[in-house]
Amino acid sequence: MLRTLLLAILMSAFALAQPAPVVRQFLLRIEPVRKDFTLQNMNDDERRITGEHFAYLKSLFDQGRLAFAGQVLDPKGLWGIIVVNAPDQEAATALLNGDPTMKSKIFRGEVIPFRTVFERGAEKQ
């Protein structure tokens, strides 16, 4: 019994000694290339591609790689915020470049290191 207990403690210590994978967050700021782009005046291609964009973000969310995403309704022009969990900036850039809106060049974007300090889900109004 003592031997089993010591073996369990030793195995636990080994598991705890393994370095935890580092997960960082990055803010992906995206915006339409077309100056007058709005959700109301999308052409058929833009509508199809933004549908693919939504599906892409949903897949990242389901995989745990997307922390949150949202639209900024700035009077100066629509843009979006996507916060992803990635080990480094290169991986975050790959996520940005994998977005259908980026591949089709209807949106452009940038990757910015980010860290959530406080977080609360949206409250029902």
Side-chain angles (χ1 to χ4, degrees), residues 4-108:
T4 304
L5 182 59
L6 288 174
L7 183 60
I9 291 170
L10 182 62
M11 295 297 283
S12 298
F14 179 74
L16 293 174
Q18 299 301 309
V22 176
V23 176
R24 297 175 50 201
Q25 290 185 311
F26 295 88
L27 185 146
L28 312 181
R29 185 188 187 284
I30 64 170
E31 65 182 355
V33 172
R34 182 164 58 91
K35 294 281 186 210
D36 65 340
F37 180 97
T38 67
L39 299 176
Q40 292 74 36
N41 73 359
M42 289 188 282
N43 63 40
D44 290 339
D45 282 341
E46 291 167 337
R47 192 170 290 104
R48 177 184 53 78
I49 293 165
T50 55
E52 293 171 8
H53 162 73
F54 182 82
Y56 177 72
L57 294 181
K58 176 75 169 81
S59 74
L60 293 178
F61 184 79
D62 291 344
Q63 297 167 28
R65 296 161 76 179
L66 173 69
F68 69 89
Q71 299 170 336
V72 178
L73 306 174
D74 187 338
K76 295 179 226 157
L78 175 75
W79 53 282
I81 293 174
I82 303 165
V83 175
V84 296
N85 303 313
D88 53 42
Q89 186 141 357
E90 292 77 25
T93 300
L95 293 176
L96 175 66
N97 291 337
D99 188 308
T101 59
M102 300 299 292
K103 288 180 179 180
S104 67
K105 301 195 184 320
I106 66 168
F107 277 55
R108 63 179 157 246

